[in-house]
Amino acid sequence: MTISDKIRKIKIGMASCGIAAGADGVLAVLKEHADKIPIDQVGCFGHCYCEPVVEIETVDGGSVLYSRVKPAPESIANILALGKAGRFQINPVRQAKELLKVTRLAGVIDPTSYEEYVENGGYAALAKALAMTPAEVVDEVKKSGLRGRGGGGFPTGMKWGFMAAKTAEQKILICNADEGDPGAFMDRSLMESVPHQVLEGMLIAAYATGSTRIFIYCRAEYPLAIKHLYIAIGQIKQHKLNLIAGREIDIVVKEGAGAFVCGEETALIHSLEGKRGTPRFRPPFPTDSGWQGCPTMINNVETFGNIPYLIAEGAASYAAVGTATSKGTKLFALAGDLAHPGLVEVPMGITLREIVFDIGGADPAATKAVQTGGPSGGCIPVEKFDTPVDYDSLKALGAIMGSGGMIVIGKNRCMVETARYFLDFTHRESCGKCTFCRVGTKRMFETLERITAGAGVPEDLDFLAGMGPKVIKASLCGLGQTAPNPVLATLRYYRHEYENHVNNRQCDVLACDKLVDIKLDPAKCVKCRLCIKNCPVDAVSEDFIIDNNKCTRCNTCIEVCPKDAICRVKKGEGFYRE
Amino acid sequence: MGQNYDYLKAIAPESSNLIKGLQAVQTREGYVSDASIVAVADYFHTPVVETEGVLSFYAQFKSTRPGRYQICVCDGTACHIKGSPLISEWISTELGITAGETDADGLFSLETVACLGCCSLAPVFSINGKVFGNLDRKTTIRILKEYRNK
Ligand SMILES: Cc1cc2nc3c(=O)[nH]c(=O)nc-3n(C[C@H](O)[C@H](O)[C@H](O)COP(=O)(O)O)c2cc1C
Ligand code: FES
């Protein structure tokens, strides 16, 4: 293989998303053919849609990106010759709208290298903070206007102030890395790509608040994040960076065990204590009495990820970005029905339109809504996409900022089914302590099941609209207090879809299985028999007629048909054999 | 305590490590049997009922032996929107098992989970922790066949 002599260094994205797309195979072939060139395994730079990504740094200081690289020798040969095929340029519109502060080094440095982090300015903020008094650091965070990124949006500086005021032998700092919103991956990406930055934030917080011990509560589904945290913690201890104000601070990673409610701070503390993760009434707030009765402060991964640059650049410069009530940048995990899913970092105040269409590449004509805040949030219809993104404006729309999950919902998705999905999730994740959360969400879920199955009645809509606020009012923690949001938001903006289900027994977009039939169009059929061969329940007859009595609506025939001759139709339009 | 559980000794026997202990058992055995519950309860000085209570609270713990290849189909929001219920159905048809089951030869077991953090590649599933993304019916079936013939 001829290797261009212009190559200085090769970088390959090896975060979970890269590996899932096949980056490990690409790395193996690269190593085999380019054994003389340094290969840096970096994290995720946010453009997940083009994984596996290889970046070539050239001797003249330039860089060439290759996207969707295949582990085949030809494709590696093309890269090593700096060929034209497969080159990729970051969309300039996205580049102009993004503001990379927290993710500045993500996908740029090797997450397992302490040296690379330091060479790029790492731990300078910690040094700067240590030269200030703890109170000055807290003040700086207060002045910056930073609000918690875990979903609640509580002012971080104020929380640090409460904690700093406590006098106790043991004071506990917890990093909430549970990332429970199914459909969000900001925290995973940060921990995998820049673990040292998150840890630097924690060390600064420990100094500012006088904390003596640090726990990181990370969900078990993130093995790579946990591995990188362990490596980074080892390096921190080796360089004695956890020696703060003469005291050695222990840093421990604890793995969660798969319970959404454990992201709630009091439940998280119970789980850390080895107990069932049920929330408890507040007050006392954790800063008064938390882990084993000690003052305990909990912040989210991204909140900590903000701290180093906040301290390095200063509160005034930090607060120059954003809106009146929401400062700085925010990470969003963009996924769903769009061309360019990935992780984006944008200044607060940017509009949804810019995020979803300009950055995410979603097709405006095919987009129905966006869901923010996951199961605790709500959908925002495309008509409201000019809303600037900040904590308060999203709340006014019946959604929430949430932790940063943003799922784009296409016009071909059923909103009733989406609401059913979220309630299915929350009613199972309810810890069962509060009656309205335990039973109320279950009744709401059952009602939605009935509606999507075509057995709903108009009164069901009144029931949902009435039960939602009761669950919100009568629940102890944020899970129950937000669980009805997806239903209430879809009822508010897409009532006609609900009405079509209950009044006409129809699903507008032919998504709900119980409300559709499958039909084969003989005019398009070429009699290849693929549908007959693949149907798991023998519902397609030898004369190419689909019996909807047998059919389970599994879509197998639609997937295998080479001529698009089979499609979903309204219930009753298909054929039923006696 | 039976000597099979010697590996627990690496963990301090404080009740706050109970979940860690159960996780260690599951990593080792693939699931947590009734006998293991008693052993763990004993080691961490917690009543068996309380240990059971903790175990049943968390979705991660399994009480039956999983197959050699553990398939986790993601049903997080992004994957759900992108058709994960169909992926589950196709796998069920191919393997003859539904979520929570292990096939007769103990080769595959199937479960659904909420979000593997690879939402940008939705729909995804993982087999023994390795994630596969951008699935359609064809790739799903091909991957299963590859594992079956391993
Ligand atoms: C049901 C529920 C789940 C939550 N899940 C998370 C989570 O996964 N990650 C997180 O950082 N915060 C989560 N939170 C918010 C935390 O309770 C807490 O507000 C947050 O970790 C505080 O950190 P921050 O101020 O830096 O945002 C959750 C809250 C509730 C009610
Ligand atoms: S929703 Fe499936 S990986 Fe996140």
Side-chain angles (χ1 to χ4, degrees), chain B residues 28-92:
Chain B
R28 188 86 167 207
E29 325 265 337
Y31 72 116
V32 187
S33 66
D34 287 352
S36 302
I37 295 176
V38 176
V40 170
D42 189 39
Y43 181 75
F44 290 102
H45 312 295
T46 28
V48 175
V49 280
E50 213 174 299
T51 311
E52 281 250 24
V54 168
L55 186 92
S56 62
F57 185 86
Y58 296 99
Q60 184 193 33
F61 297 115
K62 298 185 194 58
S63 53
T64 51
R65 187 187 296 280
R68 184 143 74 109
Y69 300 121
Q70 297 181 42
I71 307 173
C72 298
V73 180
C74 176
D75 194 28
T77 315
C79 291
H80 188 84
I81 293 268
K82 295 284 226 171
S84 61
L86 287 173
I87 306 278
S88 290
E89 187 160 351
W90 294 328
I91 297 176
S92 285

Side-chain angles (χ1 to χ4, degrees), chain A residues 17 20 48 182-183 185 188 219-220 254-258 271 273 275-277 336 341 413 417 421-422 536 552 554 556, chain B residues 15-17 19 23 53-54 57-60 75-77 80-82 86 89-90 93 114-115 117 119-121 131 137:
Chain A
C17 38
C48 306
F185 50 92
R188 169 187 70 71
R219 72 191 304 225
K254 285 254 192 178
E255 282 179 46
S271 181
E273 291 170 340
K275 301 180 191 149
R276 288 167 71 95
R413 315 288 177 191
E417 152 57 27
Y421 164 79
F422 283 120
T552 62
C554 78
T556 300
Chain B
S15 61
S16 66
N17 281 332
I19 295 173
Q23 283 169 334
V54 168
F57 185 86
Y58 296 99
Q60 184 193 33
D75 194 28
T77 315
H80 188 84
I81 293 268
K82 295 284 226 171
L86 287 173
E89 187 160 351
W90 294 328
T93 309
C115 196
C119 323
S120 46
L121 304 172
V131 179
R137 183 174 178 278

